[in-house]
Amino acid sequence: MAKSLTKRAETSHKLFLALIEALRVGTMAWLAAGEFLSKLKKNNAFKDVMGEPPAGGQWTLDDFLGQGEIGLPYSTAAKLIQCYQVFKERLELPDGAIGKIRFYRLKAIAPYVTEKNQEKLLDAAEHLSRSDFEQVLIKEAKDIDQDSCIHDFKSVTLKECKICGLRRRA
C-alpha cells in the first residue's frame, strides 16, 4: 500500500509541475497575442489582412476580432494589449519574471503597476493567496494616480433627469 501511495504522490507531483509549466507557457502566449494585437491595431494595420470592406463601409477592429480564427471580444483584446504594453514595452520586464505569474493576475495589476510599485505588485501577484492578493489590489485601486494610469475606458449609457439633471446609469 505504501509503495502505491508513493507512486501516486510521484505521479501527482509530475502532473503538478506540468500544470505549472503549462500555465507559464499560457501567460507568455497571451502576452505574445497582446503584442501582435497591439501591432495590428497600430495605424489600423489589421485592415491590411481583412480584404475588401463591405460596400460603402469600412472594417473596424471589432470586425477583425470577430473573425472565426480570432473570436475575441474587444474587451479581451484591450486587456491583452494593455498587458503587453505595460509589462513588455513600458516596464521592459524579462520573460522569466513575467512567466512566473498567471496571466489573470497580470491582467489584474496592469492598471496599477508603475516603476515605483512594480516589485511589490509582481511579488504579490506571484506569491499571495487569492484573498490576500485581492486586498492588495483594493489598496492599489485607492492609491492610483490618474495621470500615470493607462486608461481603459468603457462606454456607459446614462439617463438624465429632465428636471434636476441627476444622472444615473441606464
Side-chain angles (χ1 to χ4, degrees), residues 11 32 54 60 63-64 66 109 123-124 128 152 155 169:
T11 301
T60 66
D63 295 326
F64 175 72
I109 65 173
D123 185 63
L128 293 182
D152 183 16
S155 295
R169 284 192 177 179

Short mmCIF file of all heavy atoms in Angstrom, two decimals, residues 11 32 54 60 63-64 66 109 123-124 128 152 155 169:
data_model
loop_
_atom_site.label_atom_id
_atom_site.label_comp_id
_atom_site.label_asym_id
_atom_site.label_seq_id
_atom_site.Cartn_x
_atom_site.Cartn_y
_atom_site.Cartn_z
N THR A 11 3.44 10.63 -9.25
CA THR A 11 2.66 10.97 -10.43
C THR A 11 1.96 12.31 -10.24
O THR A 11 1.95 13.15 -11.15
CB THR A 11 1.62 9.86 -10.73
OG1 THR A 11 2.32 8.64 -10.93
CG2 THR A 11 0.80 10.19 -11.94
N ALA A 32 2.18 37.35 -25.97
CA ALA A 32 2.51 37.39 -27.39
C ALA A 32 1.30 37.81 -28.21
O ALA A 32 1.41 38.63 -29.13
CB ALA A 32 3.03 36.02 -27.86
N PRO A 54 -16.98 45.89 -46.73
CA PRO A 54 -18.34 45.82 -47.29
C PRO A 54 -18.65 47.10 -48.08
O PRO A 54 -18.07 48.15 -47.79
CB PRO A 54 -19.23 45.69 -46.06
CG PRO A 54 -18.39 45.98 -44.88
CD PRO A 54 -16.96 45.87 -45.28
N THR A 60 -13.70 47.53 -39.06
CA THR A 60 -13.39 48.03 -37.71
C THR A 60 -12.57 46.98 -36.98
O THR A 60 -12.49 45.81 -37.42
CB THR A 60 -14.67 48.30 -36.90
OG1 THR A 60 -15.34 47.04 -36.68
CG2 THR A 60 -15.59 49.27 -37.61
N ASP A 63 -14.69 44.06 -36.18
CA ASP A 63 -14.83 43.12 -37.30
C ASP A 63 -13.65 42.17 -37.35
O ASP A 63 -13.81 40.97 -37.53
CB ASP A 63 -14.91 43.87 -38.64
CG ASP A 63 -16.15 44.73 -38.77
OD1 ASP A 63 -17.21 44.34 -38.24
OD2 ASP A 63 -16.06 45.80 -39.40
N PHE A 64 -12.46 42.74 -37.19
CA PHE A 64 -11.23 41.94 -37.23
C PHE A 64 -11.23 40.91 -36.10
O PHE A 64 -10.96 39.73 -36.33
CB PHE A 64 -10.01 42.87 -37.12
CG PHE A 64 -8.71 42.14 -37.02
CD1 PHE A 64 -8.17 41.48 -38.12
CD2 PHE A 64 -8.01 42.12 -35.82
CE1 PHE A 64 -6.96 40.81 -38.03
CE2 PHE A 64 -6.80 41.45 -35.72
CZ PHE A 64 -6.27 40.80 -36.82
N GLY A 66 -13.70 39.70 -34.48
CA GLY A 66 -14.82 38.77 -34.56
C GLY A 66 -14.65 37.66 -35.57
O GLY A 66 -15.48 36.75 -35.64
N ILE A 109 -3.24 43.48 -12.23
CA ILE A 109 -2.36 44.55 -11.73
C ILE A 109 -1.97 45.55 -12.82
O ILE A 109 -1.47 46.63 -12.51
CB ILE A 109 -1.09 44.00 -11.05
CG1 ILE A 109 -0.19 43.24 -12.03
CG2 ILE A 109 -1.44 43.16 -9.84
CD1 ILE A 109 1.16 42.84 -11.45
N ASP A 123 5.49 40.75 -6.88
CA ASP A 123 5.69 39.78 -5.80
C ASP A 123 4.34 39.32 -5.24
O ASP A 123 4.12 38.13 -5.02
CB ASP A 123 6.54 40.39 -4.69
CG ASP A 123 6.88 39.38 -3.61
OD1 ASP A 123 7.56 38.39 -3.92
OD2 ASP A 123 6.43 39.58 -2.45
N ALA A 124 3.43 40.26 -5.05
CA ALA A 124 2.09 39.91 -4.55
C ALA A 124 1.38 39.00 -5.55
O ALA A 124 0.76 38.00 -5.17
CB ALA A 124 1.28 41.17 -4.30
N LEU A 128 1.07 35.64 -3.28
CA LEU A 128 -0.03 35.73 -2.31
C LEU A 128 -1.21 34.84 -2.67
O LEU A 128 -1.45 34.53 -3.83
CB LEU A 128 -0.52 37.18 -2.19
CG LEU A 128 0.46 38.18 -1.58
CD1 LEU A 128 -0.19 39.55 -1.49
CD2 LEU A 128 0.95 37.73 -0.21
N ASP A 152 -8.44 52.60 -19.45
CA ASP A 152 -9.17 51.60 -20.23
C ASP A 152 -10.65 51.93 -20.04
O ASP A 152 -11.31 51.39 -19.16
CB ASP A 152 -8.84 50.20 -19.71
CG ASP A 152 -9.51 49.11 -20.51
OD1 ASP A 152 -9.99 49.39 -21.62
OD2 ASP A 152 -9.57 47.97 -20.02
N SER A 155 -17.72 52.19 -22.34
CA SER A 155 -18.87 53.03 -22.65
C SER A 155 -20.00 52.69 -21.70
O SER A 155 -20.25 51.54 -21.39
CB SER A 155 -19.35 52.76 -24.09
OG SER A 155 -18.36 53.16 -24.99
N ARG A 169 -26.92 55.49 -14.35
CA ARG A 169 -26.74 54.51 -15.43
C ARG A 169 -28.09 54.01 -15.89
O ARG A 169 -28.98 53.77 -15.08
CB ARG A 169 -25.90 53.33 -14.96
CG ARG A 169 -24.45 53.65 -14.88
CD ARG A 169 -23.65 52.41 -14.71
NE ARG A 169 -22.24 52.78 -14.70
CZ ARG A 169 -21.28 51.93 -14.56
NH1 ARG A 169 -21.54 50.66 -14.40
NH2 ARG A 169 -20.04 52.33 -14.56
#
